[in-house]
């Protein structure tokens, strides 16, 4: 396969990401879908960087005050640990996957959306923290998307070097306890988007939920709580049955079993959210 045409169509970084994502210790099955995923990731990163750079009139400064700032710091810590492990063991598919989820799901879809109101209101401290967090994300992404991250880095205020020679980011490891608290918001969002049901949240959780989920789009009937509880109970029963079946857990690939366990945990969180 001639890579020049792929690069012309999707970009060098998207092609690099795709090749890393489909790499393994065995014969590789070529998939243009992995390259297209890389292009979506590049577009998402470019757009969120424009948002932060366009609303920040200050230098990057790491200053954790808001719950969402503690949470994204913990998520980047977790991603950095995954990145370090994947690089040291040459597991590049795992590297690409970890960076995709922390960038697309955590940084863009939740952290950036949750701080948008503060950025638009001219909150300089929140903007400085957003720049510092973006700076760290760019460092983690640089081995996988070197061209795009270097270009974004060149627009950061107060930079002292090129990204390629910048030091590896500091690992904090002090906010891991925020994960469960933030998972409650994400579970509430999943329930709302699927069934139109709003579950009880504390004040900070509700503020983040409102900024990201836009609850003014709620269904007029408020959703059918009883029907959603029955659906979740059925899903939990199905997942528990599968995971208690030794022929499934013993024969199915590990990633399939792990995915089923993750579904079960999610269903239980959503049921707890609705029932409380």
């Amino acid at each position: 396969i001639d890579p020049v045409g792929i690069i012309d169509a999707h970009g060098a970084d998207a092609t690099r990401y795709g090749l890393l994502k489909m790499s393994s210790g065995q014969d590789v099955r070529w998939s243009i879908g992995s390259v297209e995923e890389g292009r979506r990731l590049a577009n998402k990163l470019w757009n969120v960087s424009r948002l932060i750079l366009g609303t920040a009139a200050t230098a990057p400064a790491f200053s954790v005050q808001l719950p969402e700032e503690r949470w994204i710091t913990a998520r980047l810590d977790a991603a950095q640990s995954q990145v370090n492990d994947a690089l040291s063991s040459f597991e590049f598919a795992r590297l690409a996957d970890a960076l995709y989820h922390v960038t697309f799901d955590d940084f863009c879809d939740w952290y950036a959306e949750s701080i948008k109101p503060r950025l638009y209101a001219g909150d300089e401290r929140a903007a400085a923290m957003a720049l510092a967090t973006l700076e760290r994300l760019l460092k983690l992404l640089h081995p996988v998307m070197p061209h795009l991250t270097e270009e974004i880095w060149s627009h950061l205020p107060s930079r002292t070097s090129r990204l390629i020679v910048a030091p590896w980011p500091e690992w904090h490891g002090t906010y891991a306890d925020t994960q469960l608290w933030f998972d409650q918001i994400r579970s509430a969002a999943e329930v709302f988007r699927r069934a139109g049901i709003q579950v009880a949240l504390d004040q900070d959780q509700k503020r983040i939920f409102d900024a990201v989920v836009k609850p003014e789009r709620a269904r007029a009937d408020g959703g059918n709580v009883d029907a959603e509880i029955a659906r979740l109970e059925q899903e939990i029963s199905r997942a528990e049955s599968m995971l208690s079946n030794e022929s499934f857990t013993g024969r199915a690939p590990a990633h399939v079993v792990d995915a089923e366990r993750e579904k079960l945990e999610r269903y239980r969180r959503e049921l707890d959210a609705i029932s409380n």
Side-chain angles (χ1 to χ4, degrees):
I1 297 171
D2 184 355
V4 174
I6 306 297
I7 292 171
D8 288 343
H10 300 283
D13 279 356
T15 303
R16 179 185 179 95
Y17 171 93
L19 291 171
L20 291 169
K21 183 67 181 286
M22 69 184 81
S23 68
S24 69
Q26 303 180 14
D27 290 343
V28 173
R29 182 182 295 275
W30 165 257
S31 169
I32 192 64
S34 295
V35 178
E36 292 170 343
E37 180 179 290
R39 184 178 62 180
R40 290 193 297 272
L41 178 61
N43 289 339
K44 193 81 167 179
L45 178 64
W46 180 258
N47 289 334
V48 78
S49 299
R50 287 182 61 192
L51 164 70
I52 294 172
L53 290 166
T55 54
T58 184
F62 184 78
S63 172
V64 177
Q65 294 183 18
L66 305 174
E68 56 267 41
E69 293 169 345
R70 293 194 291 273
W71 173 78
I72 194 60
T73 301
R75 294 302 303 136
L76 287 170
D77 279 343
Q80 186 167 332
S81 294
Q82 291 177 296
V83 167
N84 290 341
D85 289 344
L87 285 172
S88 64
S89 58
F90 303 100
E91 295 181 77
F92 301 124
R94 190 158 64 91
L95 167 70
D97 187 66
L99 289 170
Y100 180 89
H101 287 295
V102 75
T103 303
F104 213 106
D105 301 339
D106 298 333
F107 189 90
C108 296
D109 285 355
W110 279 98
Y111 171 66
E113 290 295 323
S114 70
I115 64 169
K116 260 186 183 180
R118 281 183 160 83
L119 295 180
Y120 288 145
D123 186 329
E124 291 188 4
R125 192 213 58 81
M129 175 60 182
L131 282 171
T133 307
L134 174 62
E135 185 178 81
R136 183 182 182 187
L137 179 64
L138 292 174
K139 290 178 178 181
L140 295 178
L141 281 165
H142 188 60
V144 174
M145 292 188 154
H147 303 91
L148 177 61
T149 52
E150 190 75 69
E151 174 63 23
I152 296 170
W153 180 271
S154 71
H155 296 282
L156 288 175
S158 302
R159 63 187 179 91
T160 58
S161 70
R162 292 186 61 191
L163 176 55
I164 195 170
V165 293
W168 197 237
E170 178 184 355
W171 190 84
H172 299 278
T174 52
Y175 303 108
D177 59 344
T178 61
Q179 184 63 58
L180 180 59
W181 183 87
F182 210 92
D183 281 346
Q184 294 171 346
I185 310 174
R186 300 179 95 159
S187 295
E190 290 167 358
V191 169
F192 176 80
R193 287 166 173 160
R194 184 180 58 248
I197 299 168
Q198 294 198 53
V199 302
L201 298 169
D202 69 31
Q203 185 175 351
D204 274 323
Q205 288 174 324
K206 185 66 166 61
R207 172 179 58 78
I208 295 169
F209 177 90
D210 289 349
V212 176
V213 182
K214 311 294 189 297
E216 62 271 15
R217 301 171 185 170
R219 285 165 36 178
D221 62 3
N224 188 327
V225 176
D226 291 338
E228 184 61 12
I229 288 175
R231 190 193 73 82
L232 288 169
E233 288 175 341
Q234 184 176 11
E235 291 288 1
I236 290 170
S237 177
R238 180 199 59 78
E240 288 176 338
S241 176
M242 287 186 66
L243 291 170
S244 65
N245 186 339
E246 292 184 2
S247 64
F248 169 71
T249 56
R251 296 178 183 178
H255 71 275
V256 174
V257 177
D258 289 342
E260 198 62 37
R261 289 196 179 103
E262 290 174 5
K263 287 180 187 177
L264 177 58
E265 291 175 6
R266 188 179 76 246
Y267 297 144
R268 286 171 172 167
R269 286 199 306 269
E270 292 177 15
L271 182 61
D272 286 345
I274 295 176
S275 301
N276 291 335

